[in-house]
Amino acid sequence: MRLTALFADGYPTAKLEANITKSKIRVVSPQGATPFVLNLITSARTAKKLSAVQLIVTSTGREAEELSNTLSELDPTCEVLEFPSWETLPHERLSPSPETVGKRVRVLQRLHQLQTSKVEHSVYVLASIRATLQPVVAGLGEHPALRFFSGQEYLLPELNLKLVELAYERVDMVTRRGEFATRGGILDIFPTTAEHAVRLEFFGDELEEIREFSVSDQRSLPHASLASIEIFPAREVIITPSVAAKAREMEHEFPNLSTMLSKIGEG
């Protein structure tokens, strides 16, 4: 931090602060100094009462991860949002992993929340060049996450339908992210953004307890009781009734896409 203070006293920093409100600023810094320069830029923007949310584009996803750790150390009060890229190419008939989708949707939903709330801390959105070039479904951040709170009442059959709508796959035993299983009054889910799978235990319609468990032996983890849990989608195209109806209408217009459109129409 002393190094940052010494650097902040120099002429380049004064020039940066004087031009911080301009639409375009060119800043050249040595490799490895990026986090410190970003910290100075944030301080200058805060002094001018500019937006607290900044998009930082990095060369690679690895660089974004490293920058995230350093920024958190320089400013423990800041909020760092990592927006990953798809690990698949656009021409491949493969979907990105549920974990990647969940992380992307979580960032988009958080940005949507920040648009309607006053932010007192710095927010960094870190994304690689590849992530910023990939398309994003319009309005994806406006769909709120599915939230469960211990002690509240839910209809278990309705929850199953909501999870299917969020592209979670129903299985006999949960082993991977994006899967769920139901047996009796127990609902097992492996959220796309969670480190461990969670088990929701119901007594009638009341959610009695939320506990993390290990997928290897299906046993609850010690001290793993949670008060609430957020469920983010496992697919970036949320198949709502209106989307399904639109897909069915388009089947005859685009015969080459009929197989995919038929699956979307069926949910």
Side-chain angles (χ1 to χ4, degrees):
M1 297 304 292
R2 178 57 182 163
L3 181 61
T4 305
L6 290 173
F7 183 68
D9 292 335
Y11 171 74
T13 304
K15 186 177 180 181
L16 173 65
E17 293 174 347
N19 295 280
I20 196 65
T21 57
K22 292 186 177 180
S23 59
K24 184 177 182 179
I25 305 176
R26 181 178 175 85
V27 180
V28 181
S29 65
Q31 186 176 6
T34 302
F36 301 97
V37 174
L38 287 175
N39 194 29
L40 289 172
I41 292 175
T42 301
S43 300
R45 289 174 60 87
T46 302
K48 296 292 184 178
K49 297 182 179 181
L50 300 177
S51 173
V53 183
Q54 300 179 70
L55 171 63
I56 313 299
V57 182
T58 60
S59 300
T60 63
R62 179 67 179 272
E63 185 180 343
E65 293 177 5
E66 295 174 351
L67 185 58
S68 172
N69 298 330
T70 309
L71 288 174
S72 298
E73 292 179 1
L74 288 175
D75 183 7
T77 63
C78 75
E79 181 179 356
V80 180
L81 305 175
E82 293 186 48
F83 188 73
S85 64
W86 297 336
E87 66 275 22
T88 57
L89 297 175
H91 64 271
E92 295 178 326
R93 289 187 175 273
L94 296 172
S95 298
S97 68
E99 181 180 3
T100 299
V101 172
K103 289 180 178 179
R104 286 168 61 91
V105 176
R106 180 172 59 183
V107 172
L108 294 174
Q109 291 188 2
R110 178 55 181 156
L111 290 175
H112 180 69
Q113 294 174 357
L114 293 173
Q115 289 179 347
T116 57
S117 60
K118 187 177 180 180
V119 185
E120 300 293 341
H121 58 275
S122 301
V123 181
Y124 299 100
V125 182
L126 305 182
S128 65
I129 295 176
R130 184 177 177 181
T132 55
L133 292 177
Q134 290 170 341
V136 176
V137 178
L140 186 58
E142 299 174 7
H143 295 276
L146 187 60
R147 293 178 173 86
F148 297 103
F149 298 90
S150 181
Q152 293 194 7
E153 293 188 354
Y154 303 91
L155 294 175
L156 194 54
E158 183 179 330
L159 295 183
N160 292 336
L161 295 176
K162 287 184 178 180
L163 289 171
V164 170
E165 186 176 292
L166 294 178
Y168 279 72
E169 181 183 358
R170 185 164 186 166
V171 295
D172 295 330
M173 183 181 295
V174 170
T175 58
R176 298 181 301 175
R177 289 180 177 86
E179 295 181 342
F180 77 98
T182 306
R183 58 186 183 280
I186 296 178
L187 175 61
D188 290 346
I189 313 173
F190 202 151
T192 55
T193 57
E195 184 177 354
H196 299 286
V198 293
R199 178 162 293 151
L200 284 65
E201 297 186 1
F202 290 85
F203 183 76
D205 293 336
E206 182 182 354
L207 177 54
E208 280 194 325
E209 190 175 14
I210 305 174
R211 291 182 290 119
E212 293 181 328
F213 70 92
S214 172
V215 296
S216 58
D217 56 12
Q218 299 291 305
R219 293 185 178 181
S220 298
L221 298 174
H223 311 291
S225 182
L226 304 174
S228 62
I229 186 71
E230 283 187 324
I231 309 296
F232 292 92
R235 179 178 54 219
E236 295 192 25
V237 177
I238 307 300
I239 304 181
T240 59
S242 60
V243 172
K246 183 66 175 178
R248 289 192 293 269
E249 293 175 4
M250 295 172 63
E251 279 189 59
H252 304 292
E253 298 179 28
F254 303 94
N256 295 337
L257 302 176
S258 60
T259 302
M260 181 181 66
L261 292 172
S262 177
K263 291 181 178 180
I264 295 175
E266 294 171 358

